[in-house]
Coordinates of all heavy atoms in Angstrom, one line a residue:
S931 N 28.0 -177.2 84.3 CA 26.8 -176.4 84.2 C 25.6 -177.2 84.4 O 24.5 -176.7 84.6 CB 26.8 -175.6 82.8 OG 26.7 -176.6 81.8
E932 N 25.7 -178.5 84.2 CA 24.5 -179.4 84.3 C 24.2 -179.8 85.7 O 23.0 -180.0 86.1 CB 24.6 -180.6 83.4 CG 24.7 -180.3 81.9 CD 23.5 -179.5 81.4 OE1 22.4 -179.9 81.8 OE2 23.7 -178.6 80.6
N933 N 25.2 -179.9 86.6 CA 24.9 -180.5 87.9 C 25.6 -179.8 89.0 O 25.5 -180.3 90.2 CB 25.2 -182.0 87.9 CG 26.7 -182.3 87.5 OD1 27.5 -181.4 87.7 ND2 26.9 -183.5 87.0
S934 N 26.2 -178.7 88.8 CA 26.9 -178.1 90.0 C 27.3 -176.7 89.6 O 27.2 -176.3 88.4 CB 28.1 -178.9 90.5 OG 29.1 -178.8 89.5
F935 N 27.7 -175.9 90.6 CA 28.3 -174.6 90.3 C 29.2 -174.3 91.4 O 29.2 -174.8 92.5 CB 27.2 -173.5 90.1 CG 26.5 -173.1 91.4 CD1 26.9 -172.0 92.1 CD2 25.4 -173.8 91.8 CE1 26.3 -171.7 93.3 CE2 24.7 -173.5 93.0 CZ 25.2 -172.4 93.7
W936 N 30.2 -173.4 91.0 CA 31.2 -173.0 92.0 C 30.5 -172.1 93.1 O 29.4 -171.5 92.8 CB 32.3 -172.3 91.4 CG 32.0 -171.1 90.6 CD1 31.5 -169.9 91.0 CD2 32.1 -171.0 89.2 NE1 31.3 -169.1 89.9 CE2 31.6 -169.7 88.8 CE3 32.5 -171.9 88.2 CZ2 31.6 -169.3 87.5 CZ3 32.5 -171.5 86.9 CH2 32.1 -170.2 86.5
P937 N 31.0 -172.1 94.3 CA 30.3 -171.3 95.3 C 30.1 -169.8 94.8 O 31.1 -169.2 94.3 CB 31.3 -171.3 96.5 CG 32.0 -172.7 96.3 CD 32.1 -172.8 94.8
H938 N 29.0 -169.3 95.1 CA 28.6 -168.0 94.5 C 28.4 -167.0 95.7 O 27.7 -167.4 96.7 CB 27.3 -168.1 93.7 CG 26.8 -166.8 93.3 ND1 27.5 -166.0 92.5 CD2 25.6 -166.3 93.4 CE1 26.7 -164.9 92.2 NE2 25.6 -165.1 92.8
C939 N 28.9 -165.8 95.6 CA 28.7 -164.9 96.7 C 28.4 -163.5 96.1 O 29.0 -163.1 95.1 CB 30.1 -164.8 97.4 SG 30.0 -163.7 98.8
T940 N 27.4 -162.8 96.7 CA 27.1 -161.5 96.3 C 27.5 -160.4 97.2 O 27.1 -159.3 97.1 CB 25.5 -161.4 96.1 OG1 24.9 -161.5 97.4 CG2 25.0 -162.4 95.2
S941 N 28.4 -160.7 98.1 CA 28.9 -159.7 99.1 C 30.3 -160.1 99.5 O 30.7 -161.2 99.5 CB 28.0 -159.7 100.3 OG 28.5 -158.9 101.3
L942 N 31.1 -159.1 99.8 CA 32.4 -159.3 100.4 C 32.3 -159.7 101.9 O 33.3 -160.0 102.5 CB 33.3 -158.1 100.2 CG 33.7 -157.8 98.8 CD1 34.6 -156.5 98.7 CD2 34.5 -159.0 98.2
S943 N 31.1 -159.6 102.5 CA 30.9 -159.9 103.9 C 29.6 -160.7 104.1 O 28.7 -160.2 104.8 CB 30.9 -158.6 104.7 OG 30.0 -157.7 104.2
P944 N 29.5 -161.8 103.5 CA 28.2 -162.6 103.6 C 28.0 -163.2 105.0 O 28.9 -163.8 105.5 CB 28.3 -163.7 102.5 CG 29.8 -163.9 102.4 CD 30.4 -162.6 102.6
T945 N 26.8 -163.0 105.5 CA 26.5 -163.6 106.8 C 25.5 -164.7 106.7 O 25.1 -165.4 107.7 CB 26.0 -162.6 107.8 OG1 24.9 -161.9 107.3 CG2 27.1 -161.6 108.2
I946 N 24.9 -164.9 105.5 CA 23.9 -165.9 105.2 C 24.5 -166.9 104.3 O 25.1 -166.6 103.3 CB 22.6 -165.3 104.6 CG1 22.1 -164.2 105.4 CG2 21.6 -166.4 104.4 CD1 21.1 -163.3 104.7
L947 N 24.2 -168.2 104.5 CA 24.6 -169.3 103.6 C 23.4 -170.0 103.1 O 22.7 -170.6 104.0 CB 25.6 -170.3 104.2 CG 26.1 -171.4 103.3 CD1 26.9 -170.8 102.1 CD2 26.9 -172.4 104.1
Y948 N 23.1 -169.9 101.8 CA 21.9 -170.7 101.3 C 22.5 -172.0 100.8 O 23.5 -172.1 100.1 CB 21.3 -169.9 100.1 CG 20.5 -168.7 100.5 CD1 21.0 -167.5 100.4 CD2 19.2 -168.9 100.9 CE1 20.3 -166.3 100.7 CE2 18.4 -167.7 101.3 CZ 19.0 -166.5 101.2 OH 18.3 -165.4 101.5
I949 N 21.7 -173.1 101.0 CA 22.1 -174.4 100.5 C 20.9 -174.9 99.7 O 19.8 -175.0 100.2 CB 22.4 -175.4 101.6 CG1 23.5 -174.9 102.5 CG2 22.8 -176.8 101.0 CD1 23.9 -175.8 103.7
S950 N 21.2 -175.2 98.4 CA 20.1 -175.6 97.5 C 20.6 -176.8 96.7 O 21.7 -177.3 96.8 CB 19.7 -174.5 96.6 OG 20.8 -174.2 95.7

Side-chain angles (χ1 to χ4, degrees):
S931 61
E932 296 301 320
N933 58 25
S934 67
F935 69 96
W936 54 71
H938 173 58
C939 181
T940 65
S941 169
L942 290 177
S943 54
T945 56
I946 306 165
L947 181 65
Y948 288 99
I949 302 178
S950 68

